[in-house]
């Protein structure tokens, strides 16, 4: 990766106004959080070749080998209530889907922000929100995309869960230019952020629902209080997943694991 290489393909107005590229960080979200608290402006991006402690949803480790994938976090300072953060976070998976689609595959999104190609996970996004009272101080969207990591390496690292993961290089049968992919992702993210600012959550929700792979499917929901099986009904206006269990009772999934 190189800042110059990414900037050559970048077509964003806000995202990427400041780009930081590190060889290794604890995680790009952690590094950007420090910059945000020091006053970094909206659109600041942190990328890294590797992460010592990359994390996905539910605190799970994100396999982050050096020099093969894309790990990036983007800073926003939005003017909306914290309850809107989950829906706003959908712009990360939408932008990743657009960037991947430009390469040829037809990706789908698994709630809330996992990107699947041929039903295997190729990317995941994570939102972190710092609040002050009832206002958002800053919001960070982090993403990890399995780009050129060899499939045997990926599956060896993930263990049994590796059978449900893949990389773009494995799908395409050739290596992917990570600078071009990063530029494409950041450009699309900028575009979706502008659409949210102009039209609110409705256009984001509509686009996300078109790519949603869960609606209508039987799923298993796992949380701290136990689990249940049911049918996914799609997302509500706040970006939460609606599920009817086998007894016809409706549930709202906020942060649970979905299988």
């Amino acid at each position: 990766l190189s800042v110059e290489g990414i900037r050559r393909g970048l077509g964003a107005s806000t995202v990427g106004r400041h780009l930081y590229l590190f060889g290794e960080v604890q995680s790009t979200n952690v590094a950007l959080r420090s910059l945000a608290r020091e006053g970094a402006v909206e659109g600041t991006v942190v990328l890294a070749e590797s992460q010592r402690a990359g994390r996905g949803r539910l605190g799970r480790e994100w396999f982050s080998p050096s020099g093969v994938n894309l790990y990036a976090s983007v800073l926003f300072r939005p003017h909306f209530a914290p309850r809107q953060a989950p829906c706003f976070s959908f712009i990360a998976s939408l932008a990743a889907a657009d960037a991947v689609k430009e390469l040829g595959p037809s990706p789908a999104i698994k709630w809330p922000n996992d990107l699947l190609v041929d039903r295997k996970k190729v990317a995941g996004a994570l939102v972190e929100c710092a609040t002050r009272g009832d206002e958002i101080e800053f919001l960070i969207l982090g993403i990890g995309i399995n780009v050129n990591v060899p499939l045997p390496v990926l599956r060896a690292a993930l263990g049994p869960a590796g059978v449900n993961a893949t990389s773009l290089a494995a799908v395409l049968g050739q290596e992917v230019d990570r600078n071009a992919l990063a530029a494409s992702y950041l450009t699309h993210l900028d575009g979706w952020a502008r659409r949210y600012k102009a039209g609110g959550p409705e256009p984001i929700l509509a686009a996300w629902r078109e790519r949603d792979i869960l609606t209508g499917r039987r799923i298993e929901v796992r949380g701290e209080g136990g689990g249940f099986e049911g049918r996914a009904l799609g997302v509500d206006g706040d970006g939460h997943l609606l599920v009817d269990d086998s007894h016809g009772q409706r549930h709202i999934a906020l942060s649970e694991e979905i299988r």
Side-chain angles (χ1 to χ4, degrees):
L1 289 172
S2 75
V3 171
E4 295 77 11
I6 295 170
R7 286 205 179 281
R8 276 197 296 270
L10 192 60
S13 59
T14 300
V15 172
R17 60 173 62 179
H18 293 297
L19 285 174
Y20 293 86
L21 173 59
F22 297 95
E24 183 181 74
V25 293
Q26 179 179 344
S27 78
T28 56
N29 270 27
V30 168
L32 185 52
R33 192 187 312 145
S34 295
L35 292 172
R37 287 172 176 161
E38 293 170 3
V41 299
E42 181 168 84
T44 298
V45 179
V46 167
L47 304 104
E49 290 285 9
S50 67
Q51 302 179 114
R52 294 187 302 275
R55 289 289 180 266
R57 288 187 69 242
L58 308 176
R60 289 179 174 158
E61 181 181 358
W62 186 271
F63 180 49
S64 306
S66 179
V68 290
N69 292 333
L70 184 62
Y71 320 114
S73 296
V74 182
L75 176 66
F76 293 93
R77 295 189 181 275
H79 300 288
F80 52 65
R83 66 185 291 269
Q84 293 179 258
C87 180
F88 181 79
S89 76
F90 285 174
I91 70 172
S93 53
L94 287 171
D98 288 343
V100 169
K101 189 173 182 179
E102 288 179 353
L103 298 174
S106 298
I109 299 173
K110 174 179 172 286
W111 183 89
N113 277 311
D114 284 351
L115 198 67
L116 310 183
V117 175
D118 298 332
R119 297 193 178 185
K120 296 184 184 298
K121 185 173 177 176
V122 74
L126 181 68
V127 58
E128 293 191 24
C129 195
T131 59
R132 181 178 295 165
D134 58 355
E135 295 182 350
I136 293 177
E137 183 178 359
F138 61 83
L139 183 150
I140 293 173
L141 292 181
I143 195 161
I145 303 177
N146 297 328
V147 186
N148 293 323
V149 58
L151 213 50
V153 173
L154 179 64
R155 292 183 173 172
L158 298 183
V163 298
N164 297 316
T166 190
S167 68
L168 294 178
V171 171
L172 297 170
Q174 62 183 30
E175 285 201 352
V176 174
D177 183 333
R178 292 186 299 142
N179 287 319
L181 179 65
S184 177
Y185 168 71
L186 295 175
T187 299
H188 285 298
L189 188 69
D190 185 86
W192 284 112
R194 283 187 282 109
R195 287 188 67 180
Y196 190 101
K197 186 175 183 179
E202 287 76 15
I204 307 303
L205 288 168
W208 190 94
R209 286 169 176 144
E210 289 179 358
R211 296 161 173 82
D212 167 36
I213 199 174
L214 285 186
T215 298
R217 293 181 181 272
R218 296 290 300 178
I219 61 172
E220 181 183 1
V221 180
R222 293 184 178 182
E224 292 183 359
F228 64 92
E229 294 185 354
R231 188 174 300 278
L233 304 178
V235 295
D236 63 15
D238 291 324
H240 302 144
L241 183 66
L242 303 177
V243 185
D244 273 358
D245 65 21
S246 56
H247 303 291
Q249 182 177 353
R250 183 154 300 177
H251 303 259
I252 300 177
L254 304 178
S255 60
E256 290 84 350
E257 178 185 5
I258 305 298
R259 295 188 176 184

